[in-house]
């Protein structure tokens, strides 16, 4: 595995969180609905923290996360 710098790791983390949220967007299995909702909340909160921390760094998060991935 190739070592990455902090910027590369942050970009990978952002990409992973967005992919996870996109996959959960249309989840309809009511049996696991509460768990999936919890995942969406956690991923959204993580993105919001990153957005606050790295606001000037990351153009990838220049959108309203809660409007794009509503809870």
């Amino acid at each position: 595995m190739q070592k990455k710098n902090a910027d590369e790791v942050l970009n990978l983390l952002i990409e992973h969180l967005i992919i996870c949220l996109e996959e959960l967007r249309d989840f309809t299995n009511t049996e696991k609905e509460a768990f999936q909702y919890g995942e969406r909340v956690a991923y959204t909160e993580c993105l919001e923290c990153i957005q606050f921390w790295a606001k000037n760094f990351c153009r990838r998060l220049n959108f309203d996360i809660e409007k794009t991935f509503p809870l």
Side-chain angles (χ1 to χ4, degrees), residues 20-36:
C20 289
L21 281 166
E22 288 172 348
E23 288 175 356
L24 292 169
R25 183 177 288 177
D26 298 323
F27 192 82
T28 57
N29 184 345
T30 56
E31 185 176 300
K32 296 182 181 179
E33 190 173 308
F35 182 78
Q36 302 300 331

PDB file of all heavy atoms in Angstrom, residues 20-36:
ATOM      1  N   CYS A  20     -21.156   6.326   0.264  1.00  0.00           N
ATOM      2  CA  CYS A  20     -22.021   5.642   1.233  1.00  0.00           C
ATOM      3  C   CYS A  20     -23.384   6.313   1.309  1.00  0.00           C
ATOM      4  O   CYS A  20     -24.420   5.631   1.326  1.00  0.00           O
ATOM      5  CB  CYS A  20     -21.371   5.625   2.615  1.00  0.00           C
ATOM      6  SG  CYS A  20     -19.945   4.537   2.725  1.00  0.00           S
ATOM      7  N   LEU A  21     -23.417   7.627   1.354  1.00  0.00           N
ATOM      8  CA  LEU A  21     -24.696   8.341   1.411  1.00  0.00           C
ATOM      9  C   LEU A  21     -25.511   8.139   0.144  1.00  0.00           C
ATOM     10  O   LEU A  21     -26.737   7.986   0.202  1.00  0.00           O
ATOM     11  CB  LEU A  21     -24.453   9.834   1.658  1.00  0.00           C
ATOM     12  CG  LEU A  21     -24.149  10.198   3.102  1.00  0.00           C
ATOM     13  CD1 LEU A  21     -23.585  11.609   3.191  1.00  0.00           C
ATOM     14  CD2 LEU A  21     -25.386  10.045   3.963  1.00  0.00           C
ATOM     15  N   GLU A  22     -24.860   8.127  -0.999  1.00  0.00           N
ATOM     16  CA  GLU A  22     -25.573   7.891  -2.258  1.00  0.00           C
ATOM     17  C   GLU A  22     -26.165   6.485  -2.295  1.00  0.00           C
ATOM     18  O   GLU A  22     -27.274   6.289  -2.785  1.00  0.00           O
ATOM     19  CB  GLU A  22     -24.645   8.128  -3.448  1.00  0.00           C
ATOM     20  CG  GLU A  22     -24.341   9.596  -3.659  1.00  0.00           C
ATOM     21  CD  GLU A  22     -23.276   9.856  -4.705  1.00  0.00           C
ATOM     22  OE1 GLU A  22     -22.584   8.893  -5.126  1.00  0.00           O
ATOM     23  OE2 GLU A  22     -23.124  11.019  -5.091  1.00  0.00           O
ATOM     24  N   GLU A  23     -25.444   5.514  -1.770  1.00  0.00           N
ATOM     25  CA  GLU A  23     -25.951   4.140  -1.737  1.00  0.00           C
ATOM     26  C   GLU A  23     -27.150   4.009  -0.802  1.00  0.00           C
ATOM     27  O   GLU A  23     -28.053   3.207  -1.048  1.00  0.00           O
ATOM     28  CB  GLU A  23     -24.851   3.175  -1.295  1.00  0.00           C
ATOM     29  CG  GLU A  23     -23.784   2.963  -2.328  1.00  0.00           C
ATOM     30  CD  GLU A  23     -22.636   2.100  -1.834  1.00  0.00           C
ATOM     31  OE1 GLU A  23     -22.623   1.715  -0.648  1.00  0.00           O
ATOM     32  OE2 GLU A  23     -21.737   1.814  -2.644  1.00  0.00           O
ATOM     33  N   LEU A  24     -27.175   4.778   0.270  1.00  0.00           N
ATOM     34  CA  LEU A  24     -28.262   4.700   1.250  1.00  0.00           C
ATOM     35  C   LEU A  24     -29.458   5.579   0.887  1.00  0.00           C
ATOM     36  O   LEU A  24     -30.508   5.487   1.523  1.00  0.00           O
ATOM     37  CB  LEU A  24     -27.757   5.109   2.634  1.00  0.00           C
ATOM     38  CG  LEU A  24     -26.769   4.157   3.274  1.00  0.00           C
ATOM     39  CD1 LEU A  24     -26.144   4.793   4.502  1.00  0.00           C
ATOM     40  CD2 LEU A  24     -27.463   2.853   3.642  1.00  0.00           C
ATOM     41  N   ARG A  25     -29.335   6.401  -0.119  1.00  0.00           N
ATOM     42  CA  ARG A  25     -30.376   7.365  -0.479  1.00  0.00           C
ATOM     43  C   ARG A  25     -31.719   6.702  -0.735  1.00  0.00           C
ATOM     44  O   ARG A  25     -32.748   7.177  -0.282  1.00  0.00           O
ATOM     45  CB  ARG A  25     -29.945   8.167  -1.699  1.00  0.00           C
ATOM     46  CG  ARG A  25     -30.942   9.243  -2.086  1.00  0.00           C
ATOM     47  CD  ARG A  25     -30.456  10.036  -3.235  1.00  0.00           C
ATOM     48  NE  ARG A  25     -29.359  10.874  -2.744  1.00  0.00           N
ATOM     49  CZ  ARG A  25     -28.644  11.665  -3.508  1.00  0.00           C
ATOM     50  NH1 ARG A  25     -28.868  11.732  -4.789  1.00  0.00           N
ATOM     51  NH2 ARG A  25     -27.679  12.391  -3.005  1.00  0.00           N
ATOM     52  N   ASP A  26     -31.746   5.615  -1.441  1.00  0.00           N
ATOM     53  CA  ASP A  26     -33.002   4.983  -1.841  1.00  0.00           C
ATOM     54  C   ASP A  26     -33.277   3.690  -1.098  1.00  0.00           C
ATOM     55  O   ASP A  26     -34.023   2.845  -1.578  1.00  0.00           O
ATOM     56  CB  ASP A  26     -32.993   4.713  -3.352  1.00  0.00           C
ATOM     57  CG  ASP A  26     -32.873   6.006  -4.144  1.00  0.00           C
ATOM     58  OD1 ASP A  26     -33.464   7.017  -3.723  1.00  0.00           O
ATOM     59  OD2 ASP A  26     -32.183   5.999  -5.169  1.00  0.00           O
ATOM     60  N   PHE A  27     -32.710   3.526   0.069  1.00  0.00           N
ATOM     61  CA  PHE A  27     -32.894   2.295   0.824  1.00  0.00           C
ATOM     62  C   PHE A  27     -34.332   2.204   1.314  1.00  0.00           C
ATOM     63  O   PHE A  27     -34.857   3.119   1.919  1.00  0.00           O
ATOM     64  CB  PHE A  27     -31.931   2.253   2.007  1.00  0.00           C
ATOM     65  CG  PHE A  27     -31.875   0.903   2.652  1.00  0.00           C
ATOM     66  CD1 PHE A  27     -31.085  -0.105   2.116  1.00  0.00           C
ATOM     67  CD2 PHE A  27     -32.626   0.633   3.777  1.00  0.00           C
ATOM     68  CE1 PHE A  27     -31.033  -1.346   2.708  1.00  0.00           C
ATOM     69  CE2 PHE A  27     -32.581  -0.616   4.370  1.00  0.00           C
ATOM     70  CZ  PHE A  27     -31.785  -1.604   3.832  1.00  0.00           C
ATOM     71  N   THR A  28     -35.000   1.083   1.049  1.00  0.00           N
ATOM     72  CA  THR A  28     -36.421   0.969   1.382  1.00  0.00           C
ATOM     73  C   THR A  28     -36.750  -0.230   2.260  1.00  0.00           C
ATOM     74  O   THR A  28     -37.909  -0.464   2.557  1.00  0.00           O
ATOM     75  CB  THR A  28     -37.269   0.855   0.096  1.00  0.00           C
ATOM     76  OG1 THR A  28     -36.805  -0.258  -0.651  1.00  0.00           O
ATOM     77  CG2 THR A  28     -37.173   2.117  -0.735  1.00  0.00           C
ATOM     78  N   ASN A  29     -35.783  -1.009   2.690  1.00  0.00           N
ATOM     79  CA  ASN A  29     -36.044  -2.180   3.515  1.00  0.00           C
ATOM     80  C   ASN A  29     -36.455  -1.722   4.916  1.00  0.00           C
ATOM     81  O   ASN A  29     -35.643  -1.270   5.695  1.00  0.00           O
ATOM     82  CB  ASN A  29     -34.789  -3.059   3.581  1.00  0.00           C
ATOM     83  CG  ASN A  29     -35.023  -4.345   4.333  1.00  0.00           C
ATOM     84  OD1 ASN A  29     -36.016  -4.493   5.037  1.00  0.00           O
ATOM     85  ND2 ASN A  29     -34.107  -5.266   4.193  1.00  0.00           N
ATOM     86  N   THR A  30     -37.733  -1.854   5.252  1.00  0.00           N
ATOM     87  CA  THR A  30     -38.238  -1.329   6.518  1.00  0.00           C
ATOM     88  C   THR A  30     -37.670  -2.067   7.724  1.00  0.00           C
ATOM     89  O   THR A  30     -37.583  -1.504   8.806  1.00  0.00           O
ATOM     90  CB  THR A  30     -39.775  -1.409   6.564  1.00  0.00           C
ATOM     91  OG1 THR A  30     -40.170  -2.763   6.345  1.00  0.00           O
ATOM     92  CG2 THR A  30     -40.394  -0.512   5.530  1.00  0.00           C
ATOM     93  N   GLU A  31     -37.281  -3.322   7.562  1.00  0.00           N
ATOM     94  CA  GLU A  31     -36.721  -4.094   8.671  1.00  0.00           C
ATOM     95  C   GLU A  31     -35.432  -3.478   9.191  1.00  0.00           C
ATOM     96  O   GLU A  31     -35.153  -3.493  10.380  1.00  0.00           O
ATOM     97  CB  GLU A  31     -36.478  -5.534   8.220  1.00  0.00           C
ATOM     98  CG  GLU A  31     -36.003  -6.460   9.320  1.00  0.00           C
ATOM     99  CD  GLU A  31     -35.880  -7.879   8.817  1.00  0.00           C
ATOM    100  OE1 GLU A  31     -36.900  -8.438   8.380  1.00  0.00           O
ATOM    101  OE2 GLU A  31     -34.759  -8.405   8.864  1.00  0.00           O
ATOM    102  N   LYS A  32     -34.640  -2.929   8.313  1.00  0.00           N
ATOM    103  CA  LYS A  32     -33.358  -2.340   8.702  1.00  0.00           C
ATOM    104  C   LYS A  32     -33.379  -0.824   8.600  1.00  0.00           C
ATOM    105  O   LYS A  32     -32.340  -0.183   8.631  1.00  0.00           O
ATOM    106  CB  LYS A  32     -32.249  -2.905   7.818  1.00  0.00           C
ATOM    107  CG  LYS A  32     -32.027  -4.387   7.989  1.00  0.00           C
ATOM    108  CD  LYS A  32     -30.886  -4.849   7.132  1.00  0.00           C
ATOM    109  CE  LYS A  32     -30.673  -6.344   7.291  1.00  0.00           C
ATOM    110  NZ  LYS A  32     -29.584  -6.838   6.455  1.00  0.00           N
ATOM    111  N   GLU A  33     -34.547  -0.240   8.507  1.00  0.00           N
ATOM    112  CA  GLU A  33     -34.671   1.200   8.268  1.00  0.00           C
ATOM    113  C   GLU A  33     -34.001   2.044   9.358  1.00  0.00           C
ATOM    114  O   GLU A  33     -33.318   3.014   9.061  1.00  0.00           O
ATOM    115  CB  GLU A  33     -36.143   1.578   8.145  1.00  0.00           C
ATOM    116  CG  GLU A  33     -36.370   2.981   7.676  1.00  0.00           C
ATOM    117  CD  GLU A  33     -37.824   3.239   7.400  1.00  0.00           C
ATOM    118  OE1 GLU A  33     -38.450   2.479   6.656  1.00  0.00           O
ATOM    119  OE2 GLU A  33     -38.332   4.231   7.958  1.00  0.00           O
ATOM    120  N   ALA A  34     -34.198   1.691  10.624  1.00  0.00           N
ATOM    121  CA  ALA A  34     -33.611   2.466  11.713  1.00  0.00           C
ATOM    122  C   ALA A  34     -32.088   2.434  11.653  1.00  0.00           C
ATOM    123  O   ALA A  34     -31.426   3.456  11.869  1.00  0.00           O
ATOM    124  CB  ALA A  34     -34.100   1.951  13.059  1.00  0.00           C
ATOM    125  N   PHE A  35     -31.528   1.287  11.355  1.00  0.00           N
ATOM    126  CA  PHE A  35     -30.076   1.176  11.249  1.00  0.00           C
ATOM    127  C   PHE A  35     -29.559   2.018  10.094  1.00  0.00           C
ATOM    128  O   PHE A  35     -28.561   2.736  10.231  1.00  0.00           O
ATOM    129  CB  PHE A  35     -29.660  -0.282  11.069  1.00  0.00           C
ATOM    130  CG  PHE A  35     -28.179  -0.470  10.997  1.00  0.00           C
ATOM    131  CD1 PHE A  35     -27.406  -0.455  12.158  1.00  0.00           C
ATOM    132  CD2 PHE A  35     -27.542  -0.640   9.780  1.00  0.00           C
ATOM    133  CE1 PHE A  35     -26.032  -0.611  12.102  1.00  0.00           C
ATOM    134  CE2 PHE A  35     -26.167  -0.802   9.706  1.00  0.00           C
ATOM    135  CZ  PHE A  35     -25.409  -0.790  10.872  1.00  0.00           C
ATOM    136  N   GLN A  36     -30.234   1.940   8.947  1.00  0.00           N
ATOM    137  CA  GLN A  36     -29.818   2.704   7.777  1.00  0.00           C
ATOM    138  C   GLN A  36     -29.923   4.200   8.048  1.00  0.00           C
ATOM    139  O   GLN A  36     -29.065   4.976   7.625  1.00  0.00           O
ATOM    140  CB  GLN A  36     -30.665   2.332   6.553  1.00  0.00           C
ATOM    141  CG  GLN A  36     -30.628   0.874   6.185  1.00  0.00           C
ATOM    142  CD  GLN A  36     -29.236   0.384   5.844  1.00  0.00           C
ATOM    143  OE1 GLN A  36     -28.403   1.131   5.381  1.00  0.00           O
ATOM    144  NE2 GLN A  36     -28.982  -0.888   6.077  1.00  0.00           N
TER     145      GLN A  36
END
